[in-house]
Amino acid sequence: MRLAILAASEEGGQPLRAGRLLAAARQRGVKATAIDLTKQKLSDAGVGVDIVLLVTNDYPALLLMNCKMAEIKQEFAGAKFFCTGPSSHFNRARIEEKFGVQVLSSLDDFTVIDGACGGIGLGLRGAGHVVPERGTFLPLKAYGMAEVPDPCANDPYDRPFQSRIQGNIQASIGCIHVCKYCGEPAEDDRRRRSNEPGVTKAKQSMLPREVILADVANQVKMGARHIAITDADAFSFPTPALGNIEEMHRVHPDLTFEAVTRVDHIIKCRNDLAALKRFGLVRVTSSFEFPSDKVLDAIDKGFKADRIPVAIDLCKKAGIQLKPTFIPFNPWLTADEILGLPAWLEKNELVSSTDPSQLCTRLLLYKGSLLLKEPSIQGLKLKEEEWHWEWEHPDPAVDQIYKYVVAAAGPGKR
Ligand code: SF4
């Protein structure tokens, strides 16, 4: 039996979930390989493959699978095909009907491997959390260099930045929050409603520290000098999160880190920010969505807009760069409010750390989004597409502005 795991790049570089599935498969004694469809050729998966497992963690990965499926079926003709990852869980019926691919919806790596490989003759080798295997992906360098603030600089926006080879880790799975546009609570909701085996009360769980440290050590050996902590939210549980970063810093004092976290968690960690900077945390990415209570309340974000400047100020004082993300094109804002975002960035000195694509991001109503149950969304003009719902803003001028900014930004900046 030979298994090929096909995935797309994840934040910070190599596909982490596919690396974990590869490790789980090998622990079960399955001959397996994993490749990154965004970077590698299908033939890199080798010959004699009889089981193919596609991993679609997010919407772009689902679209990639949709585009490449004919080619994949041709390359691995005669193999059995399976698919896993939240985006495919939300689209199970369509995927099974269109591609004849069985969707395996467990979040547990060993359960997915057993589902794909039949569990026959695999025994009970391996269980629990595994360290991702990364040896069959392209080297970290192939994912480009991270441009990171100098960890010794007082002003984290001061250039030049340092170019560092980047690795990525996950220190926790899931998220304790319920922002209604986000895939994390939507997946949690789907699992609970489907009574899937193994569903626990915990919406977010930390991985064991030894697993995280082993993954970091592997990537340092591969040349990593900067680690992106890709958890949905890195500081939901501040004490273990701080302990992990302190320990990674103790073992690898030259590493720098970046993490994703919420505005209210930055504020909650206010007394730890200086220590985090000393341990090498040079940047945090935080979804502001939009500095307006109208938007934050509509998506159940869990904090108010007046908290955003507090978080900005705390990061500035700690010397940690803050990289905000936004969804300005949403149904709750007026054209004037959307057009005011660049001035707001200027006022808050965030222009240099905001990716220009954030000014033309539009709310995505993917299949499975919790927002689809909301009256404010149900009242919009909606059109069902294959993998998502298109929506129209109540003011057609906003959709015109959106078309204009997307065209001006160029392909892929949406
Ligand atoms: S905090 Fe972030 S990851 Fe968690 S539900 Fe909200 S948007 Fe999603």
Side-chain angles (χ1 to χ4, degrees), residues 198-240:
V199 175
T200 61
K201 270 192 172 168
K203 286 173 177 286
Q204 182 172 1
S205 51
M206 296 295 295
L207 298 184
R209 185 163 295 166
E210 62 273 17
V211 168
I212 301 164
L213 286 172
D215 194 22
V216 171
N218 285 346
Q219 292 181 85
V220 168
K221 273 192 218 134
M222 295 163 75
R225 292 188 59 233
H226 177 73
I227 296 290
I229 303 168
T230 64
D231 301 23
D233 192 291
F235 296 112
S236 292
F237 308 114
T239 304

Side-chain angles (χ1 to χ4, degrees), residues 78-139:
K80 278 191 188 161
F81 291 84
F82 298 89
C83 190
T84 194
S87 273
S88 51
H89 307 166
F90 297 142
N91 291 280
R92 170 193 288 272
R94 180 68 187 136
I95 287 174
E96 294 188 345
E97 176 207 335
K98 181 173 180 182
F99 302 122
V101 167
Q102 187 185 335
V103 175
L104 301 168
S105 57
S106 176
L107 294 185
D108 176 76
D109 300 322
F110 286 97
T111 306
V112 171
I113 291 302
D114 290 350
C117 299
I120 299 161
L122 298 178
L124 289 174
R125 282 171 290 179
H129 297 293
V130 287
V131 180
E133 289 212 16
R134 299 166 175 272
T136 59
F137 302 132
L138 293 186

